[in-house]
Amino acid sequence: MTKICPLLLVGSFLCFSASAQFTKYSNEFLNIGAGARGMAMAGAQAASVSDGTAGYWNPAALADIRDHPQLNLMHSEYYAGIGKYDFANLVLPLKDNKRTLGITALRFAVDDIPNTIFLVQPDGTVNFDNITTFSSADYAFLFSLAQREDLGNGKHINFGANAKVIHRVAGSFASAWGFGFDASVQIIGNRWKAGIVAKDITTTFNAWSYNIDTAMRQVFYMTQNEIPTKSTELTAPQLIVGGSYNFRLGKKLNLLAEADLDITFDGRRNTVISTNPVSIDPKLGLELSFKDVFFVRGGINNFQKALDDKDTTNQKKLWIYQPSVGAGFKVGDVQIDYAFTNLANQSYPLYTHVFSLRIDLKRKEKKK
């Protein structure tokens, strides 16, 4: 597997940013997260992730899953169940004991959306029988390959890459296909880890097409709505740099701490460091484990400056953030994780419950 120099990646990102027009927040559903563990730690996973959700957070970490296949599943709902978000991942170690394959699928969808385009008829009467429903759904499929290289003295380095296919649909009216690539590195020490993830390294594009029939075009024209035409979205490269350390608090108690920097290249954002075109958003996560069986987690991210609601002059600003907490437990080859997280931030809470399941698919040894 090709070893990619982080400095070259950063340089290529800057060149892309200077020469291309990107759609800000394109494919934003891919930034929600994956797995209750990672979401409880506010997405601070680039360094410490060690299970199948690495196909989403850092594909290089899949290289350390070498002994048996693994299955990961997650489900969460937003806006009182209106939006549903699902994640599934299968990890397959190869026989050479150095490489690992990962297959990941994500879906974020809002179902049963009323279609009221033909509610009002040409004569001005209202016909509720003309109301139909449709779904707006975003899909992503990630195909991961990871490889491990030993460095000696108990240290090793993992390399990983994703090829991703994106499909977005809005009923029968519009659909898009997109393609992109990610690359990553993870370095493992005795009690520390470091990770670098380069998302959309060649930019990711979505090509939209629309199926608007004559009747719908007439409604758009009469209501002075723009008739959509074929278009393309470009997603800018993104760089995530993280480091973690595992503190031993006792024989049975460990505290894992991780800090990540999410670096975007699509223009100025409302983040801690905001410039044009680079913005940096930090993420902080903690995991307290007891006997590697029971886990308690927490994290904060999405730092933003917003107007103080208590200031009647609308002049004063303060920092707000997005908090999250969670827990998990492991029994044999099964681990169940839970997260209570916020889709927005502390000022406008949109909390949701996230559950995920991890199963190590170990073969049972035959009794002699």
Side-chain angles (χ1 to χ4, degrees), residues 50-159:
S50 58
D51 59 13
T53 60
Y56 172 91
W57 298 110
N58 183 345
L62 293 175
D64 284 336
I65 305 175
R66 301 188 296 167
D67 299 328
H68 50 265
Q70 187 183 107
L71 177 67
N72 289 268
L73 302 171
M74 185 203 76
H75 175 74
S76 61
E77 297 185 359
Y78 298 91
Y79 313 112
I82 296 176
K84 296 178 175 61
Y85 181 51
D86 296 288
F87 164 90
N89 166 269
L90 179 63
V91 182
L92 301 171
L94 299 182
K95 293 182 178 180
D96 60 8
N97 209 32
K98 285 187 176 183
R99 297 178 179 86
T100 305
L101 292 175
I103 303 172
T104 301
L106 301 101
R107 179 183 186 265
F108 185 86
V110 176
D111 300 314
D112 299 323
I113 303 172
N115 178 9
T116 60
I117 290 180
F118 301 111
L119 174 62
V120 180
Q121 300 189 88
D123 60 0
T125 60
V126 176
N127 186 353
F128 289 98
D129 292 334
N130 286 342
I131 298 178
T132 58
T133 60
F134 66 95
S135 295
S136 177
D138 299 327
Y139 300 87
F141 304 93
L142 311 180
F143 303 93
S144 309
L145 177 63
Q147 178 173 324
R148 170 173 170 155
E149 297 290 342
D150 291 324
L151 299 176
N153 297 323
K155 302 176 183 178
H156 65 274
I157 184 170
N158 298 329
F159 300 93

Side-chain angles (χ1 to χ4, degrees), residues 240-272:
I240 303 172
V241 180
S244 68
Y245 194 85
N246 193 4
F247 298 91
R248 294 178 182 173
L249 304 182
K251 292 182 179 180
K252 301 177 181 180
L253 205 61
N254 289 329
L255 177 64
L256 174 70
E258 176 163 348
D260 289 4
L261 295 177
D262 191 343
I263 308 170
T264 54
F265 299 85
D266 57 2
R268 190 183 298 272
R269 294 191 179 198
N270 186 7
T271 55
V272 174

